[in-house]
Amino acid sequence: MVAHPDFGAPDDEDFLVALANTGHVPGSPDELRDAASVQAWWEAVSGAPVPGRPGGTEEVALLRAARDVVRRLGLRNNGVEVDIDAGPLAALPLRLDLAGRPGLTAPGRGSLARDLAARAAVALIRLPAMPTASRFKACPGPGCAWVFVDTTRNGSRRWCHMAACGNRAKAAAFRARSR
């Protein structure tokens, strides 16, 4: 079976986390830098080869814009005030699909990058209905954009890793108070 952005693994939440965590490490190449890297990333995530047109520069830029929206939403869920511009995603044509599980889909098959951007838009629309919506967070650490789902009992996790970003933030706060 061919894995396409509309079905197969991963589910919406896992897809949004995987998308948001592309290219977040400074000095590492962006997994969404061009159409070939988008295709390689999706094949690694979905576990199957993807036939068809990977997409052009504009479609890859649309997917990167979707990633930015997902990251910013994670920051907002973590108490960081950020502006979210979903304008680029508004250009995606979505339609109601009642075949199988009701939902929204992008009409027709476009490029892989466009279809992934459409899947991200649909997942973002469904996110508030998920029980873990408020636990979908992004690390507020400087230079860190890691997105995660807070699985702590009380939902109070703030940092991607306490030993890294959390420790730096707490040390900086201590130094500021000591001055």
Side-chain angles (χ1 to χ4, degrees), residues 3-8 10 15 42 50 109 111-113 115-117 119:
H4 188 272
D6 289 341
F7 57 87
F15 171 71
W42 182 246
V50 180
R109 293 285 182 235
S111 70
L112 176 63
D115 290 348
L116 287 170
R119 178 173 177 179

Side-chain angles (χ1 to χ4, degrees), residues 1-178:
M1 179 165 127
V2 175
H4 188 272
D6 289 341
F7 57 87
D11 66 11
D12 283 347
E13 189 174 81
D14 291 339
F15 171 71
L16 290 174
V17 170
L19 175 64
N21 287 333
T22 58
H24 74 283
V25 179
S28 296
D30 186 354
E31 288 104 329
L32 306 180
R33 67 185 168 279
D34 56 26
S37 61
V38 168
Q39 186 162 4
W41 169 76
W42 182 246
E43 287 176 357
V45 169
S46 68
V50 180
R53 191 171 77 81
T57 305
E58 289 179 14
E59 292 157 320
V60 173
L62 180 64
L63 183 57
R64 284 194 301 266
R67 173 182 63 191
D68 185 56
V69 169
V70 172
R71 283 182 179 167
R72 289 174 175 274
L73 180 66
L75 283 170
R76 185 179 282 173
N77 280 351
N78 208 356
V80 178
E81 286 300 318
V82 292
D83 292 330
I84 299 177
D85 178 20
L89 298 181
L92 283 168
L94 298 176
R95 68 176 174 80
L96 183 62
D97 181 8
L98 297 175
R101 179 177 157 204
L104 294 171
T105 60
R109 293 285 182 235
S111 70
L112 176 63
R114 187 207 77 152
D115 290 348
L116 287 170
R119 178 173 177 179
V122 170
L124 284 168
I125 291 168
R126 288 195 288 240
L127 185 64
M130 293 181 204
T132 57
S134 64
R135 292 173 176 251
F136 184 84
K137 299 178 180 180
C139 180
C144 185
W146 193 259
V147 173
F148 58 92
V149 176
D150 181 356
T151 57
T152 61
R153 185 177 211 169
N154 63 359
S156 64
R157 180 175 168 193
R158 183 155 168 81
W159 312 102
C160 60
H161 296 288
M162 191 60 211
C165 290
N167 188 40
R168 279 192 292 271
K170 288 186 175 197
F174 175 78
R175 283 191 304 274
R177 284 191 309 270
S178 297

